[in-house]
C-alpha cells in the first residue's frame, strides 16, 4: 500500500528553527506538496518539490530526496502565527494525491 | 470574492435528515474535489470532477451524493448519515486534475455533526 509518515506533533520555541520530516512509500512519484492548516481553517499551499534539492521561499524551505523517499519542511525565525498543522502530500504515478496525517506544530514563547 | 467558498460552515443534522453542502470557486479552475478530514487522519478523497465530469468516486457510501452543475459549483447531498460521518468536509479546486505542480486550493470546510 501507499503510505506517508510524518510526526504527529512537534513543539518549538519562538525565534528558533524547526524541521518537519516526511517519508513516503508510493507507487511512482510526480511531486510532493506541503500545506499549512490553522485550526478551523482551510489548508493553504506552501511548497512543491518534484526534483531533488532545496526550495526556499522566505522563512520556509522544503527539501526533497527521491531516492530516499524523504522530504522536510524547514521553518526559520519561528513566529507564534506558525502554530498550525503541516500536511505532506505526494502525487503518485496516477496523479493521485496521497496525504499524511499532518504534524501539529506548537510554538511556545 | 475570491478563492473557494463553502457553506454552511457548521451543520448539525439527525440521521434521518437531508441536507446539502455547497462549494463555489472563483479561481477559473476546471477540477473540483470533495475531501473528508477526520481528527488525526489523512485527508480522504471522496469525489473528483474534471471539466464537470466525475472522474473518481473513492468507494464512498451512497448516502453521499455529489453534483457539479458547472466548473464553478460543487454540491454534496447528504441523507441518512451515520454518526461516524461526523467530520470536516473540505472542498478544493485546481487548474486541472493531475497537472504537475498545480496545487489544490481549499475552502474553509463544513464542520458536520451527525446526531
Amino acid at each position: 500500500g501507499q503510505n506517508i509518515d510524518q510526526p504527529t506533533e512537534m513543539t518549538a520555541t519562538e525565534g528558533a528553527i524547526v524541521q518537519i520530516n516526511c517519508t513516503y512509500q508510493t507507487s511512482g512519484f510526480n511531486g510532493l506538496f506541503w500545506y499549512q492548516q490553522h485550526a478551523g481553517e482551510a489548508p493553504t499551499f506552501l511548497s512543491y518539490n518534484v526534483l531533488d534539492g532545496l526550495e526556499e521561499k522566505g522563512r520556509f524551505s522544503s527539501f526533497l530526496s527521491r531516492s530516499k523517499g524523504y522530504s522536510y519542511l524547514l521553518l526559520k525565525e519561528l513566529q507564534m502565527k506558525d502554530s498550525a498543522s503541516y500536511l505532506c502530500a505526494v502525487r503518485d504515478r496516477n496523479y493521485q494525491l496521497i496525504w499524511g496525517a499532518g504534524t501539529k506544530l506548537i510554538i511556545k514563547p | 470574492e475570491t478563492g473557494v467558498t463553502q457553506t454552511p460552515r457548521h451543520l448539525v443534522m439527525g440521521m434521518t435528515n437531508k441536507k446539502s453542502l455547497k462549494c463555489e470557486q472563483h479561481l477559473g479552475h476546471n477540477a473540483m474535489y470533495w475531501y473528508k478530514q477526520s481528527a488525526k487522519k489523512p485527508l480522504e478523497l471522496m469525489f473528483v470532477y474534471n471539466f464537470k465530469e466525475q472522474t473518481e468516486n473513492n468507494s464512498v457510501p451512497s448516502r453521499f451524493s455529489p453534483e457539479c452543475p458547472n466548473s464553478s459549483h460543487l454540491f454534496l447531498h447528504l441523507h441518512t448519515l451515520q454518526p461516524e460521518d461526523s467530520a470536516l468536509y473540505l472542498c478544493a479546486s485546481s487548474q486541472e486534475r493531475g497537472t504537475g505542480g498545480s496545487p489544490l486550493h481549499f475552502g474553509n470546510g463544513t464542520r458536520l455533526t451527525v446526531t
Side-chain angles (χ1 to χ4, degrees):
Chain A
Q2 308 199 88
N3 193 52
I4 307 277
D5 285 314
Q6 48 181 136
T8 303
E9 187 173 299
M10 299 182 70
T11 302
T13 304
E14 190 176 16
I17 298 173
V18 71
Q19 177 175 310
I20 302 174
N21 295 326
C22 170
T23 57
Y24 62 90
Q25 300 90 37
T26 57
S27 302
F29 178 85
N30 277 301
L32 183 144
F33 297 82
W34 284 98
Y35 286 81
Q36 179 190 61
Q37 186 178 22
H38 287 101
E41 296 184 13
T44 55
F45 169 71
L46 287 178
S47 68
Y48 172 70
N49 295 70
V50 66
L51 300 176
D52 291 351
L54 189 68
E55 294 280 343
E56 296 187 76
K57 195 183 290 186
R59 293 188 299 114
F60 292 8
S61 303
S62 57
F63 172 82
L64 174 67
S65 170
R66 288 172 297 170
S67 62
K68 295 182 179 177
Y70 167 70
S71 172
Y72 67 73
L73 182 68
L74 190 71
L75 292 75
K76 302 177 183 176
E77 301 169 18
L78 285 170
Q79 302 175 11
M80 297 303 292
K81 66 179 182 180
D82 298 328
S83 292
S85 289
Y86 292 85
L87 312 180
C88 175
V90 172
R91 220 167 231 156
D92 70 9
R93 68 160 60 99
N94 297 317
Y95 287 90
Q96 300 267 18
L97 264 181
I98 312 301
W99 293 85
T103 298
K104 182 178 180 180
L105 178 63
I106 300 168
I107 309 298
K108 295 185 175 179
Chain B
E1 196 170 341
T2 59
V4 181
T5 304
Q6 287 186 246
T7 54
R9 289 297 307 273
H10 301 273
L11 178 62
V12 179
M13 59 186 290
M15 290 190 284
T16 57
N17 290 158
K18 288 185 180 180
K19 296 286 184 182
S20 295
L21 310 184
K22 179 182 176 182
C23 176
E24 184 174 0
Q25 59 97 0
H26 306 271
L27 300 168
H29 289 163
N30 293 306
M32 295 188 79
Y33 310 75
W34 280 116
Y35 277 93
K36 177 182 179 182
Q37 187 174 35
S38 303
K40 300 184 179 180
K41 289 186 177 180
L43 288 175
E44 298 175 48
L45 180 63
M46 300 176 72
F47 302 105
V48 183
Y49 281 83
N50 203 29
F51 292 95
K52 300 188 299 178
E53 298 295 320
Q54 185 175 323
T55 57
E56 286 179 55
N57 173 346
N58 282 2
S59 303
V60 179
S62 60
R63 57 185 183 269
F64 295 91
S65 174
E67 178 188 0
C68 187
N70 55 60
S71 293
S72 298
H73 293 86
L74 186 65
F75 296 89
L76 188 63
H77 304 299
L78 316 171
H79 66 96
T80 59
L81 294 190
Q82 304 297 312
E84 60 264 29
D85 297 323
S86 298
L88 181 68
Y89 288 85
L90 290 165
C91 173
S93 69
S94 68
Q95 287 183 340
E96 280 183 42
R97 176 82 173 102
T99 48
S102 174
L104 298 181
H105 295 256
F106 287 88
N108 281 331
T110 295
R111 173 67 62 186
L112 174 67
T113 303
V114 181
T115 60

